[in-house]
Amino acid sequence: RASPDPKAHWAGLTAAIGLVDGMQRVLQLVALVACFAVVSSLSNGVISLDKYTFDKIVGKERPVLVRFDQDYSYGDENDAYEYAAKNATSSEILVASVGISEWGEKENQDLADRFGVKKEDWPRYIFFPKGSKEGVTFSGNKKDTYAILQFIRKQGVWVGLPGCHEKFDELASQFMSSKDKRADIIKQAEKLLAEIKDDKERTSAKFYIAAMRKIEEKGDSFVENESQRLKSMLDKATLKKNKKDEFQTRLNVLSSFNL
């Protein structure tokens, strides 16, 4: 029997090592792609939930807004929801989505059934307070980011609309509920304004104080009347972007007086 050729043996060993190395690289690439897939599901601030993870997140330490929708959401409603999620990143609330499949294994259909979500309801948004699985359904305009954020705020969870400040929002709420302390609250707001250095933040802070003074002058109905006026201005197609941003900020600030 002929002895094995050392060169051929070495060549075979080298090829085997190369194959193993190649397989390791493939596995690393697969893992990297998987990581990117997970990150992409979170990149817009929306957490993906399914029947295995839902009860680990909902009803625990943080409030959660959950969207029940088809597997792959798209369009104006999806854009508004994702923008709301981005605006809520500084808040304690988690913004999540349950993708429902109509075909094959009908993934997450059991979750949809559990909360009474039918196909004609898609997308349906349900707010779950911390520690509770009893949800409140959003019934507003699903294409309106600000309507979604306002809905969250009305559930007692602070989210910062563009131009809003948490401390000023608290003062706005106190201002509306404590009519006998309004003069003192305006002084608190002015003191808070003096501590702000950023020009943009100072501008929006001044809107709060101006609104307080107008409410004192014209009554609580000023909030609704002025909000309607600003909304009609925002509907004008000829409105320049800088004015549109200013009016939207003022509208956001006014909404803090109406929670």
Side-chain angles (χ1 to χ4, degrees), residues 20-232:
V20 171
D21 183 59
M23 289 178 67
Q24 288 178 334
R25 289 176 182 274
V26 169
L27 289 173
Q28 288 173 349
L29 180 60
V30 170
L32 185 62
V33 170
C35 286
F36 274 117
V38 171
V39 171
S40 67
S41 70
L42 303 175
S43 62
N44 291 316
V46 180
I47 301 171
S48 178
L49 297 179
D50 57 25
K51 62 183 179 181
Y52 302 107
T53 58
F54 187 90
D55 289 309
K56 294 179 180 180
I57 300 295
V58 176
K60 302 300 181 181
E61 295 81 9
R62 299 173 70 172
V64 189
L65 180 66
V66 181
R67 171 181 63 188
F68 292 83
D69 199 5
Q70 60 186 317
D71 258 342
Y72 300 100
S73 301
Y74 62 91
D76 293 342
E77 291 172 339
N78 178 66
D79 293 344
Y81 192 76
E82 290 189 351
Y83 189 62
K86 289 178 184 177
N87 274 275
T89 52
S90 61
S91 170
E92 65 171 332
I93 193 169
L94 297 175
V95 180
S97 186
V98 172
I100 305 163
S101 175
E102 294 184 84
W103 315 106
E105 296 182 3
K106 295 187 176 182
E107 294 180 2
N108 298 322
Q109 184 60 55
D110 49 351
L111 275 177
D113 293 340
R114 177 176 162 186
F115 292 99
V117 179
K118 302 184 183 300
K119 181 179 177 179
E120 53 267 27
D121 299 329
W122 295 353
R124 184 174 176 185
Y125 308 154
I126 303 179
F127 172 86
F128 295 92
K130 63 173 69 176
S132 174
K133 290 176 184 173
E134 294 294 323
V136 179
T137 298
F138 172 67
S139 58
N141 183 357
K142 296 169 187 173
K143 295 180 181 180
D144 186 344
T145 294
Y146 299 103
I148 298 169
L149 292 172
Q150 285 287 12
F151 168 71
I152 295 172
R153 284 157 67 101
K154 286 184 181 294
Q155 309 313 310
V157 178
W158 186 83
V159 288
L161 296 176
C164 290
H165 303 270
E166 187 169 8
K167 289 182 179 178
F168 277 97
D169 280 352
E170 290 173 3
L171 289 177
S173 178
Q174 293 172 23
F175 185 85
M176 297 306 288
S177 62
S178 306
K179 293 187 178 183
D180 58 328
K181 297 179 181 178
R182 286 183 171 180
D184 182 56
I185 291 170
I186 291 176
K187 288 180 182 178
Q188 291 180 51
E190 289 173 334
K191 184 178 179 181
L192 197 57
L193 169 64
E195 298 172 1
I196 298 174
K197 305 301 181 185
D198 182 80
D199 289 341
K200 192 172 182 180
E201 289 186 7
R202 284 183 62 84
T203 298
S204 57
K206 288 177 181 178
F207 287 150
Y208 283 91
I209 297 171
M212 290 178 184
R213 288 181 174 144
K214 283 291 185 182
I215 292 167
E216 278 215 304
E217 177 189 340
K218 299 187 175 183
D220 292 3
S221 60
F222 169 79
V223 176
E224 180 62 25
N225 294 338
E226 181 65 3
S227 296
Q228 291 303 321
R229 188 185 75 84
L230 289 170
K231 286 176 183 178
S232 66

